[in-house]
Amino acid sequence: MATRTDAPTRREQILKEAARLFAERGFHGVGVDEIGAAVGISGPGLYRHFAGKDAMLAELLVGISGQLLTGAKRRLAEADGVPPEAVLDSLIEGHIDFALDDRPLITLHDRELDRLRDSDRKLVRQLQRQYVELWVEVVRKVYPELTEPTARSAVHSVFGLLNSTPHLGRPGSLPGRGVTAVLLHRMARGAFGAAGAAGAE
């Protein structure tokens, strides 16, 4: 994800460019040669790294779902003894990093998930469910008045809000990453707060 600081491998470079091109022009609108040209290798050279475009798409969507879950588990492990509000803030910050730095993957998920093989699509859904349930547990600690179904609905709603970043305009048109991150964080906490207030009525 975006927090990685070491140089990307050639495989990671290929995936990044594939995600960008798939998001811009659609999965079927991009050829292997174009992906290869974007990273400075021949199209056939890509087959040393991936079996084809389908394999790239699967690794992108399964990979980001796994990274989000792993990142959330790490944040929870590091937050042992921390107030639930701070844990929730940490989860929100992690998802905002994804929403701002991996915008093409959000577009890919929305448009291309159904193109995955059944087994890959089921794995994506399984990872996503586990990710959601981690959030639900934390949200209910912050807002104990929420029932589990209501907390789950609130989590999905906040994901929808945070994952709206591909629709906010081109990166240069945003007010700046820091300002946007703060705004998204406040909106997410506001949404959870509204859900908690409604649950207390």
Side-chain angles (χ1 to χ4, degrees), residues 83-156:
E85 291 84 357
V87 179
L88 181 57
D89 284 334
S90 180
L91 288 177
I92 292 171
E93 288 165 8
H95 199 96
I96 287 173
D97 285 342
F98 157 67
L100 291 176
D101 298 333
D102 293 306
R103 293 165 68 185
L105 293 179
I106 297 174
T107 301
L108 275 189
H109 181 275
D110 290 345
R111 293 181 184 170
E112 314 289 358
L113 181 63
D114 287 344
R115 299 192 190 280
L116 295 183
R117 296 180 305 174
D118 286 346
S119 58
D120 288 327
R121 188 167 58 253
K122 288 177 181 177
L123 179 56
V124 168
R125 295 300 193 194
Q126 177 185 354
L127 293 168
Q128 290 175 340
R129 283 194 298 271
Q130 293 178 46
Y131 182 60
V132 167
E133 293 311 308
L134 289 180
W135 278 68
V136 169
E137 182 178 349
V138 174
V139 167
R140 293 193 71 203
K141 289 179 180 178
V142 179
Y143 304 101
E145 63 276 10
L146 290 179
T147 64
E148 187 173 299
T150 302
R152 190 172 295 110
S153 294
V155 168
H156 281 293

Side-chain angles (χ1 to χ4, degrees), residues 64-82:
I64 192 56
S65 297
Q67 288 175 46
L68 284 170
L69 178 58
T70 299
K73 288 181 176 179
R74 174 181 54 78
R75 287 172 180 271
L76 290 178
E78 293 172 350
D80 187 33
V82 173

Side-chain angles (χ1 to χ4, degrees), residues 130-196:
Q130 293 178 46
Y131 182 60
V132 167
E133 293 311 308
L134 289 180
W135 278 68
V136 169
E137 182 178 349
V138 174
V139 167
R140 293 193 71 203
K141 289 179 180 178
V142 179
Y143 304 101
E145 63 276 10
L146 290 179
T147 64
E148 187 173 299
T150 302
R152 190 172 295 110
S153 294
V155 168
H156 281 293
S157 296
V158 167
F159 286 172
L161 185 159
L162 298 180
N163 291 348
S164 68
T165 52
H167 311 292
L168 299 180
R170 300 188 64 81
S173 69
L174 299 177
R177 191 190 187 287
V179 173
T180 304
V182 170
L183 174 62
L184 289 172
H185 197 121
R186 288 176 177 170
M187 292 176 70
R189 283 305 301 263
F192 283 130

